Amino acid sequence: MEFKRDNLFFAIEHYQACAMLFRAATLTAVHEMYSGHPVRKCLVEYLYKRVSSGFSNAMAIGTHSMEASSDIGSINRGAFEAAVNFLFVTGDQTNGRIAAFWLFAAQEEIKRNNQVAEWKTCADPIIKKLALREYQDLGSEEDHKKTILPSLGVQEEDLKRWPSLEQRTKVIGDMWAYLYDSHYRALSTWQHGDTSRLIVTDTFVETLGGYPDRTDYETFVMVSWAFDILANFCISITNLEPQRHAQALIRENYASITTLVASLTKDHQQRMRHVAEKLSN
C-alpha cells in the first residue's frame, strides 16, 4: 500500500492543531522569559518567533509536496538552531551567554560587512554600486563590547567564547544532543549538495522508476520533524520556567499525536523493509 498524500495532509492538520495548544500552554513561561533586561527581552522574543514561524512555514510548504522535503529541511535547520540558542541563553541568569551570543552575532556581521567593503572598488560598475549600497558602518568589535557588556552587567574577563552548536545541544539536554546527531547532521549534509535526496524527487520517479509515494513520504518525515522541534521546544520551555501542568499537557498530546500519525507510515515502512531485503539477497 502506498503512502497516500491524504496521509500527509492529515498529519499536517493534526500537527497544526496541537501546535496551537502547545503555544497557548507555554504563554506564561515565555512571558516570564520576556521580562528583565531589554536586550534579553529582544533576543528571547526574536528567537521564539523564529522557532514558531519556522514550524508554520514548514506546514505551509508541506501542502505543496513537489520537492518540498528539501525546502522544509532547510527551514527545520534554522528552527532547530533558534530553539537551541533560545534554550541555551535563557538557561543562564547571569546574562553571560546572552552577551557572548550578541557579540558573536556582531562579529559575524562585521566580518561579512568587511567582505562587502572589498567590492567597493570593483572594476565592474554594477558590482561596485551594489557593494556601496550594501555596505554599512557597523563599528568594531571593541565598540560593541563597550556598549553591550556594561549594559548587561557582564565583565569582559568573565566573558566566555560562544560555543559550537553541538556543544550548546549537550548543555541544554540529551534530547537536543540526540536530535543534533540524528537529524541536524543529516540535513546539513543534504543541504550542501548531497545527491542522495535526488531519489525523492518527482522527476526521478517519473523518469527512472522507484517509489511513487517516496516524495510525499519524505515530505511527511520533514513536517513531522518540524513538529518534533516545536514540541520539544515547548516541553523544554516549561521545564526552564516550571509549569508542570502545562508540560504534562504538552507531553500527553505530543505522545498521542505521534502514536496516531505513526500508524500512517506502518505499511510504507514494511514495504520498504521488503525492498531492502530483496536488494540484500
Side-chain angles (χ1 to χ4, degrees):
M1 182 182 295
E2 293 181 6
F3 180 82
K4 301 295 185 182
R5 183 162 295 191
D6 286 347
N7 289 342
L8 171 62
F9 295 154
F10 176 87
I12 290 174
E13 181 181 340
H14 282 73
Y15 288 157
Q16 289 174 320
C18 274
M20 292 179 63
L21 175 64
F22 293 172
R23 287 168 177 147
T26 58
L27 282 178
T28 301
V30 173
H31 178 73
E32 291 296 323
M33 292 177 179
Y34 277 7
S35 61
H37 194 280
V39 172
R40 185 183 186 90
K41 178 181 179 180
C42 176
L43 188 57
V44 167
E45 183 175 14
Y46 166 72
L47 292 172
Y48 179 84
K49 287 182 177 178
R50 278 200 63 194
V51 179
S52 184
S53 65
F55 170 80
S56 298
N57 291 335
M59 297 303 109
I61 294 175
T63 60
H64 305 285
S65 188
M66 183 176 290
E67 283 98 59
S69 58
S70 294
D71 296 325
I72 299 173
S74 181
I75 291 173
N76 284 348
R77 287 181 66 212
F80 180 84
E81 291 178 18
V84 170
N85 289 339
F86 180 104
L87 297 169
F88 184 76
V89 299
T90 55
D92 170 37
Q93 299 303 316
T94 68
N95 287 337
R97 292 178 185 174
I98 287 181
F101 184 32
W102 197 279
L103 291 174
F104 174 78
Q107 181 184 46
E108 290 299 301
E109 282 298 308
I110 291 170
K111 187 187 301 182
R112 184 195 67 84
N113 201 49
N114 290 340
Q115 292 298 119
V116 172
E118 295 181 8
W119 291 96
K120 293 195 297 181
T121 56
C122 180
D124 187 317
I126 295 178
I127 296 177
K128 180 178 180 179
K129 183 177 181 179
L130 290 172
L132 288 169
R133 183 185 301 167
E134 181 74 16
Y135 178 78
Q136 302 176 63
D137 184 4
L138 299 177
S140 67
E141 293 178 36
E142 287 302 316
D143 291 334
H144 286 273
K145 281 184 180 179
K146 291 176 182 178
T147 301
I148 202 67
L149 293 184
S151 174
L152 289 170
V154 177
Q155 301 296 319
E156 186 168 357
E157 57 267 24
D158 297 329
L159 188 64
K160 295 182 180 179
R161 182 183 179 87
W162 181 247
S164 68
L165 180 63
E166 181 180 13
Q167 291 171 329
R168 278 171 266 151
T169 62
K170 291 179 179 178
V171 170
I172 63 176
D174 287 345
M175 177 57 75
W176 294 99
Y178 167 73
L179 290 175
Y180 175 84
D181 284 335
S182 64
H183 290 67
Y184 185 86
R185 286 181 184 274
L187 289 178
S188 296
T189 301
W190 299 347
Q191 295 299 319
H192 292 290
D194 181 0
T195 56
S196 66
R197 295 300 93 193
L198 177 65
I199 63 173
V200 308
T201 64
D202 289 344
T203 302
F204 176 87
V205 172
E206 292 172 2
T207 60
L208 301 177
Y211 313 108
D213 60 340
R214 184 66 185 271
T215 304
D216 288 329
Y217 180 73
E218 196 78 9
T219 299
F220 165 78
V221 171
M222 285 296 102
V223 297
S224 295
W225 193 48
F227 179 69
D228 287 341
I229 293 172
L230 181 69
N232 282 289
F233 178 60
C234 291
I235 290 171
S236 297
I237 287 176
T238 52
N239 195 46
L240 283 172
E241 291 288 338
Q243 301 285 330
R244 300 307 179 195
H245 293 299
Q247 188 177 96
L249 178 66
I250 295 170
R251 287 185 181 278
E252 180 182 350
N253 281 272
Y254 180 35
S256 177
I257 192 62
T258 300
T259 301
L260 174 64
V261 172
S263 66
L264 302 176
T265 69
K266 185 177 180 180
D267 291 331
H268 177 91
Q269 291 176 344
Q270 185 175 14
R271 183 162 54 84
M272 293 300 289
R273 282 195 294 271
H274 289 326
V275 170
E277 290 171 1
K278 289 181 180 178
L279 292 174
S280 64
N281 291 333

